[in-house]
Amino acid sequence: MDTERNTITSGAVATGGSPGGSIREVGLGPDSQGLPPAGQRPSSGDSGKKAPKRNLFDPGIVRPALAESLRKTNPRHLWHNPVMLIVEIGAVITTVALATNIAGDGEEQIWFVAAIAAWLWFTVLFANFAEAMAEGRGKAQAEALRRTRTETLAQVMIGGDRARIERRASADLRAGDLVLVEANDTIPSDGEVVEGVAYVSEAAITGESAPVLKEPGTDIASSVTGGTQVVSDWLVVRITAEPGRTFLDRMIALVEGASRQKTPNEIALNILLAGLTIVFLIVVVTLSPLAEYAGSPASITVLVALLVTLIPTTIGGLLSAIGIAGMDRLVQRNVLATSGRAVEAAGDIDVLLLDKTGTITYGARMAAEFIPAAGVSEAELTAAALRSSLADETPEGKSIVLLAERMGQRADRAYLEGAELVPFTAETRMSGIRRDGRATMKGAIDAVGRIVGTIPADIQEASNRVAAAGGTPLAVIEDNRPLGVIYLKDTVKPGMRERFDELRAMGIRTIMITGDNPLTATTIAAEAGVDDFVAEAKPEDKIRIIREQQAEGRLVAMTGDGTNDAPALAQSDVGVAMNTGTAAAKEAGNMVDLDSDPTKLIEIVAIGKQLLMTRGALTTFSIANDVAKYFAIIPAMFAGAYATDRDDASALDALNVMDLTSPESAILSAIIFNALIIVALIPIALRGVAYRPMSAAALLRRNLLVYGVGGIVAPFVGIKAIDVILTGIGMA
Amino acid sequence: MSNALLLIAYFGVLLAMTKPVGLFMARVFSGERTVLHPVVAPVERGIYRLTGVDETKEMRWTTYAVAMLLFNLAGFLVVYLLQRLQRGLPLNPRELSGIEPRSAFNTAVSFVTNTNWQGYYPEITMGYLTQMSGLTVQNFVSAATGIAVAIALVRGFARRSSREIGNFWVDLTRATLYVLLPLSIVMAVFLVARGVPQNLNDYTAAVGLGGETVLIPQGPVASQEAPKMIGTNGGGFFNANSAHPYENPTPLTNFVQMVAIFLIPAGLTYTFGRMVGNTKQGWAIFAAMSALFFVGVAVTTVAEQSGNPLLTDAGASQETTVNGESTPGGNMESKETRFGIAASSLFAVITTAASCGAVNAMHDSFTPLGGMVPLANIGLGEVIFGGVGAGLYGILVYSVLAIFIAGLMVGRTPEYLGKKIEPYDVKMAMLVTLVLPLSILGFTGVAMATDEALASRWNPAAHGLSEILYAFTSATGNNGSAFAGISANTPFFNPTLGMAMLIGRFLMIVPILALAGNLAHKQRATVTAGTFPTTGPLWIGLLVGVILIVGALTYFPAYTLGPVVEHFQMRNGITFSLE
């Protein structure tokens, strides 16, 4: 068996590992002050590959699932699934009929009743097996998580005093406790760093081995998750979660299906299925007196067989498996949703609100060009720019060094010895290096203007040109002599345009939010291919935009990580918080991306759509199947209707279009097909139907053809084949 | 050939009238001014002043439903009492006696529910006052009730974040004054001009062909005939209904009657599109209805024109040309010679596609397949144009189901006209869907196991089953046409058919109003490329498919034991006689 091949990973997740690895090295997020170099943070885009590939019919899951399917025959369990409950009641009735027949009170052939009863029990077991398989996959995932939740003894600081340490089991920690965590300690519960700076490995949760820096007082880097490990130094953490309510606890409960509640869509579908079941119940029950009148009375076994083949057992048996598997697919991509409802809402999204920085672009501006002033050679400017940035550890600084080296300059680290570094300050808004009386500085144009008096016209013009193109100009001066301008450019991640095109095909609009000026925003928006953008946006603008879109009847999704994103995350229909984000952000959103990859939103939308499509496809298939089943059972059932001594053949033979061998084999074939189709469709239920982004009309045409028309045709072929086999082995 | 020409002419006229009628109704129910306002508006205002209705005050669905139910209850009581007490009331030249309770119950329910099933012979049962102030009044207001409910549902789709779905009294008054009355007046005048009686005279005594004295019934026929068609009521002034020369004298009146049946139902599809802001949506519904209509006409016409092979075997010609003379050919049993195969088949399909139930031929005498189409038309819920209002709200419920079943396949929560279809909506739609099988199959099942019911059959075997199945289908569907071939004015059938009519009408309307209320409250989602498109051929095909599959799944077994097996037995030369 092939794993996960037909899921959305292949289609929608186009960006993946970026070819520009070196660019990424210097790319830093918007909120990155104080974080370790980007290379150590979870890199975006390769999340889908991280989840361990699991064979669909992994024996480790299949074996317990088999046992579980027997346990699930308990009517109390089937109560939530009316369709399968009816099948089980039917199985009981036919089993009783079998007993009466054996006791000699019945008139039917015993083998026939026995076969029908057996296959009805199989039908129940197959449906249970599908559900157990889906749950098993979730459980396996939960087990892996649970292993990380080892009981640790936490060092609780009584009264916040480091001298008064009390050792307490992590399960006994309350919100508000202050704990000391040292190198190699496991962080006992979710909390917030209040003191200390340390690297923490979050591998247990995210699968990402590179440790991340945690320190107090920053929006992002202060929140820690229980189960993660401090790899260096120490931290004082204020616990924020009550026992049993930690992030990890919730995640385990969720993937195990323990906290699974039916989503509105599932409820609606269940109502539809229950309604159809009642319709068929009416059809079959009222058929009995009609058959009696026609002189062709139907036995209870045949009536039950007819009922079970008609009610939507295929979708009824697979419905919960589809839901669990959908959630499972999300977890495999390292996204944790607070409810199944959120996953479905993702499929309904009309508008994606995307931060420019970090989502659409790498977030760091990078040197793209050196523009020398009049009378300055390019080499002279390049060398000066290189010198000014030698000690600059910011991504911009590094990118200047990189570009200069690429243009033939050599970065001479020795130059740093004995040099005086001039750091960037908010007042001077310049930085650089001073050595041997030579001051090489770079900075904002107007800051430079203050030093040199008036800005030369050509520099001003170059800087305007850069700004007009959406870039940021930096002036380089040496000993107060302007040498030229560095063109810093924001870089759009590769593959974004293709993704946005796909989204547009699905009917989803993308809106880019940026703090940049309109000029820069226009350039980036055009380059990335978003549908719309909001420039010079303040954090509170997000919530305003969301409300506006919602008022027009659209569903909005967004990602966020900061505390000031929390209101917008809460307002949005699908709010994906980054795992690196603050507790407030995680609390406000309805999903958390453990990889902290803002572009994951696009995958989430695809998973939501696939979940709904799988339900719709199998419902359509299930109902379409009934046509063939009627043609199998009805002529068999009424072979003797209004028989007179004048006719030698049943008038209804004309309806036996499949030319089935005997009434018994016809009914049995339909029942067997009905049971086997559940097993045959388990892979589709677990993986989801194949999905490529396209317009609703195109999707509908395709799926109607496959599952609607296919659903009408398939059982004709299947029932006939089973009948041929039954005839072959003499059971007809 | 003439069959096809008649169909083309008929459909052409219908198509041409759909937009003007629909546009007019959209204006009326949106409170816009129309050409009729100078004349009708003062009357309308007068009615509100007399009854104390505040026309600006809208209702929630619950209030709307209660008003609708109370109004219908009052209507029922009036019709019931008029029948019971008619002996002492004026305008009863034949001095017809009061009607016994079960029959009076059945008839009152029948006319209030827009069914117009008639278990009695009108000309020897009903006095003129009962006909005019009881039955004819209901011909208007039961139709107006249907239109009001449909408009309320359309408002549910059209509005956003609203608790109200309109004012029942206003909708009822406007449907009557602006739509039903004017059209009926025009039609009545036309019918009188073509020879339909309109008087209060005593029956005319005449000498029959055999020299015996016969009574020729008279009465205010035209004034009941017009709303009978316009309001898809179908209750005849005479027992022979539209086969009677005083109700439907000529092929031209027949043609006009057929147009009158579909006029408002077809127009309402346009009204719907216009009120939800996209006329294409309305035309899509119109197209789905038309597709189903053509299938029905084709099957019935071909079946009837082909006739009965047993007659051919017996040496009777069913060809359209005999000795160079043109003849109707086919199965002419119980068809009027002035209408022939084409106009009879077409009328049968139209009257059952809509919930009219007027007949110009006996459906009981159709070939098995020819008679199965009227049965199936009603069984599907009369959504092929359907009853006035009832057809539209019926097919909109199917639309909700179709969208929900297949709409998930585009990967979004299904939405119709921007309204997300959620558990409550599915629940209401399923309640509506359950009504037909529950009542039709339930009552038929009971009847088939009851000797008293079986004794009412005029035919044995499969045809006998069809007769009983048709009766409950017709009653539940509020169609009112009789397959005939059954004595329905019996202690068994009067109450059971009466209950079937009530179930088929009000158990359907109440969940539909609940659906309207719930939909009106929802936000309307914006249409994007990701939205399930509900205008193109794909949607029309899907809707038709869902209607047929739901219908087929519900009735396949029962029909197999009725018309289907009868058809095959006829082909095999098997006949039955009543034991």
Side-chain angles (χ1 to χ4, degrees), chain B residues 37-109:
Chain B
H37 269 74
V39 186
V40 182
V43 181
E44 186 193 352
R45 276 195 301 275
I47 289 175
Y48 296 150
R49 208 165 301 130
L50 274 177
T51 52
V53 169
D54 178 358
E55 61 173 309
T56 58
K57 206 163 170 262
E58 295 223 329
M59 298 170 171
R60 294 184 175 210
W61 82 263
T62 40
T63 319
Y64 201 99
V66 169
M68 182 273 301
L69 289 172
L70 286 178
F71 177 76
N72 278 277
L73 177 66
F76 164 81
L77 290 175
V78 168
V79 179
Y80 181 80
L81 290 175
L82 277 172
Q83 291 179 82
R84 300 282 291 135
L85 306 174
Q86 73 171 357
R87 187 73 175 84
L89 294 172
L91 292 179
N92 187 0
R94 301 301 306 168
E95 300 189 338
L96 297 167
S97 56
I99 291 149
E100 64 95 13
R102 285 188 193 209
S103 177
F105 163 80
N106 183 290
T107 304
V109 167

Side-chain angles (χ1 to χ4, degrees), chain B residues 34 64 79 189 224 323 371 434 480 510 517 551:
Chain B
T34 65
Y64 201 99
V79 179
V189 169
Q224 186 176 325
N323 301 331
L434 281 176
V510 172

Side-chain angles (χ1 to χ4, degrees), chain A residues 143 201 232 272 289 332-333 341 350 382 485 704-705 713 725:
Chain A
E143 212 43 57
S201 163
S232 72
L272 179 90
Q332 289 207 12
R333 276 170 192 74
R341 196 186 187 123
D350 301 294
T382 310
V485 170
L704 263 184
L705 193 69
V713 175
I725 294 171

Side-chain angles (χ1 to χ4, degrees), chain A residues 264-265 268 275 279 283 286 289 293 347-348 350 506-507 550 552-553 609 612-613 616-617 626 630 642 646 651 654 696 700 703, chain B residues 404 408-409 411-413 423 426 430 434 441 445 448 457 461 525-526 528-532 553-554 557 561 565 568-569 575:
Chain A
N265 232 303
V279 169
V283 168
T286 59
Y293 168 83
D348 289 349
D350 301 294
M506 289 190 257
Q550 286 172 336
E552 285 167 36
K609 284 197 176 295
L612 296 175
M613 280 168 51
D626 282 357
Y630 263 142
Y642 309 113
R646 283 162 293 162
L700 182 63
N703 285 334
Chain B
F404 188 77
L408 281 171
M409 286 199 296
R412 284 170 70 105
T413 299
V426 176
M430 280 321 288
L434 281 176
L441 297 177
M448 297 320 286
R457 292 170 306 144
T526 317
T528 70
T531 313
F532 189 116
L553 295 184
T554 311
L561 291 177
V565 71
F568 289 119
Q569 288 188 321
T575 54

Side-chain angles (χ1 to χ4, degrees), chain B residues 239-488:
Chain B
N239 186 52
N241 209 303
S242 282
H244 195 292
Y246 275 5
E247 286 201 20
N248 190 9
T250 68
L252 180 63
T253 58
N254 191 63
F255 188 88
V256 171
Q257 291 203 350
M258 292 194 294
V259 172
I261 296 175
F262 272 180
L263 189 59
I264 292 177
L268 278 173
T269 62
Y270 189 88
T271 309
F272 160 72
R274 165 115 176 151
M275 285 178 75
V276 299
N278 181 357
T279 48
K280 278 189 194 160
Q281 298 282 358
W283 286 118
I285 297 288
F286 181 92
M289 289 171 160
S290 303
L292 288 163
F293 172 62
F294 283 123
V295 172
V297 174
V299 172
T300 296
T301 308
V302 168
E304 293 311 300
Q305 195 67 66
S306 307
N308 186 339
L310 298 181
L311 287 178
T312 309
D313 294 347
S317 168
Q318 293 177 88
E319 301 299 315
T320 46
T321 327
V322 177
N323 301 331
E325 297 277 317
S326 176
T327 70
N331 172 30
M332 275 299 287
E333 181 188 313
S334 290
K335 289 187 180 66
E336 291 293 306
T337 47
R338 66 182 185 281
F339 304 137
I341 301 270
S344 300
S345 302
L346 186 58
F347 197 105
V349 174
I350 292 168
T351 194
T352 51
S355 83
C356 183
V359 290
N360 73 354
M362 290 302 116
H363 297 175
D364 192 36
S365 295
F366 277 31
T367 58
L369 292 187
M372 188 172 82
V373 171
L375 184 63
N377 273 346
I378 309 170
L380 292 177
E382 288 155 343
V383 292
I384 308 165
F385 297 101
V388 285
L392 183 65
Y393 62 64
I395 202 163
L396 289 179
V397 169
Y398 270 117
S399 297
V400 166
L401 284 182
I403 270 286
F404 188 77
I405 292 169
L408 281 171
M409 286 199 296
V410 305
R412 284 170 70 105
T413 299
E415 57 193 49
Y416 185 50
L417 303 166
K419 300 286 189 175
K420 288 209 181 300
I421 306 304
E422 290 164 312
Y424 187 87
D425 311 303
V426 176
K427 197 183 289 174
M428 292 307 126
M430 280 321 288
L431 279 179
V432 172
T433 311
L434 281 176
V435 168
L436 290 176
L438 183 70
S439 175
I440 294 175
L441 297 177
F443 280 118
T444 304
V446 170
M448 297 320 286
T450 309
D451 290 337
E452 194 198 331
L454 293 179
S456 284
R457 292 170 306 144
W458 292 3
N459 290 282
H463 202 72
L465 188 143
S466 299
E467 286 166 351
I468 290 177
L469 183 60
Y470 193 103
F472 285 109
T473 304
S474 174
T476 307
N478 299 139
N479 183 277
S481 68
F483 205 46
I486 186 171
S487 312

Side-chain angles (χ1 to χ4, degrees), chain A residues 324-671:
Chain A
I324 298 169
M327 188 66 96
D328 186 54
R329 277 198 295 281
L330 202 61
V331 175
Q332 289 207 12
R333 276 170 192 74
N334 275 354
V335 177
L336 170 58
T338 53
S339 69
R341 196 186 187 123
V343 187
E344 286 176 5
D348 289 349
I349 290 305
D350 301 294
V351 177
L352 286 188
L353 221 55
L354 298 169
D355 272 322
K356 184 204 79 174
T357 313
T359 306
I360 294 171
T361 66
Y362 284 114
R365 293 160 302 183
M366 274 164 289
E369 194 185 344
F370 297 115
I371 308 164
V376 180
S377 75
E378 194 182 67
E380 198 180 341
L381 170 63
T382 310
L386 175 60
R387 272 195 297 282
S388 73
S389 305
L390 268 179
D392 189 346
E393 284 297 312
T394 66
E396 290 89 350
K398 284 181 170 183
S399 77
I400 291 169
V401 173
L402 261 171
L403 180 66
E405 282 180 337
R406 212 176 298 151
M407 293 178 63
Q409 298 287 336
R410 202 175 60 83
D412 181 10
R413 297 274 159 193
Y415 189 78
L416 289 173
E417 283 164 30
E420 182 201 345
L421 303 182
V422 183
F424 178 89
T425 68
E427 291 85 57
T428 63
R429 291 168 59 218
M430 298 193 72
S431 68
I433 194 164
R434 208 173 272 137
R435 182 182 154 151
D436 309 333
R438 182 167 63 174
T440 317
M441 311 286 285
K442 64 173 190 289
I445 302 293
D446 53 340
V448 169
R450 266 204 312 264
I451 290 178
V452 300
T454 50
I455 303 163
D458 56 334
I459 295 220
Q460 186 64 57
E461 191 197 325
S463 103
N464 288 348
R465 188 163 61 80
V466 169
T472 309
L474 278 187
V476 181
I477 53 172
E478 198 154 59
D479 295 335
N480 293 353
R481 176 181 162 230
L483 296 178
V485 170
I486 305 172
Y487 178 1
L488 290 179
K489 191 177 169 188
D490 204 350
T491 312
V492 173
K493 291 181 182 175
M496 292 314 286
R497 174 173 282 277
E498 289 74 18
R499 280 198 170 195
F500 294 142
D501 286 345
E502 284 176 3
L503 287 170
R504 202 169 301 114
M506 289 190 257
I508 298 172
R509 285 179 70 237
T510 44
I511 301 180
M512 181 180 85
I513 307 286
T514 173
D516 290 343
N517 63 55
L519 221 53
T520 312
T522 312
T523 312
I524 298 286
E527 197 177 333
V530 293
D531 295 301
D532 203 354
F533 65 90
V534 179
E536 285 169 352
K538 291 176 286 298
E540 59 270 26
D541 284 340
K542 280 189 190 167
I543 193 160
R544 180 182 52 79
I545 294 161
I546 292 172
R547 289 213 175 108
E548 278 170 13
Q549 293 291 335
Q550 286 172 336
E552 285 167 36
R554 299 194 181 92
L555 268 70
V556 186
M558 69 167 283
T559 58
D561 48 13
T563 298
N564 57 20
D565 282 336
L569 281 170
Q571 178 72 36
S572 65
D573 300 284
V574 174
V576 183
M578 301 292 100
N579 190 37
T580 51
T582 60
K586 285 198 237 179
E587 208 55 52
N590 41 21
M591 287 189 200
V592 176
D593 178 22
L594 301 174
D595 297 333
S596 303
D597 170 11
T599 55
K600 191 74 76 65
L601 198 49
I602 299 170
E603 270 179 78
I604 294 171
V605 166
I607 290 174
K609 284 197 176 295
Q610 200 190 19
L611 173 65
L612 296 175
M613 280 168 51
T614 308
R615 279 203 200 116
L618 294 188
T619 304
T620 307
F621 187 84
S622 194
I623 296 171
N625 269 201
D626 282 357
V627 176
K629 292 171 187 167
Y630 263 142
F631 277 98
I633 294 187
I634 294 294
M637 200 170 163
F638 297 136
Y642 309 113
T644 63
D645 44 13
R646 283 162 293 162
D647 38 4
D648 8 300
S650 162
L652 290 174
D653 261 355
L655 289 183
N656 184 5
V657 291
M658 283 173 275
D659 194 22
L660 304 175
T661 310
S662 71
E664 285 80 14
S665 77
I667 294 169
L668 193 54
S669 300
I671 280 284

Side-chain angles (χ1 to χ4, degrees), chain A residues 65-74 77-78 84 87-88 91 117-133 317-318 675-676 678-679 682:
Chain A
L66 285 173
E68 190 63 23
S69 358
L70 279 173
R71 227 183 334 267
K72 281 175 186 282
T73 50
N74 185 336
H77 172 82
L78 284 178
M84 293 323 292
V87 179
E88 185 164 78
W119 278 100
L120 291 184
W121 283 113
F122 280 136
T123 311
V124 177
L125 289 176
F126 290 164
N128 289 345
F129 177 68
E131 192 181 85
M133 280 284 291
L318 295 173
L676 291 183
I678 295 179
V679 181
I682 287 178

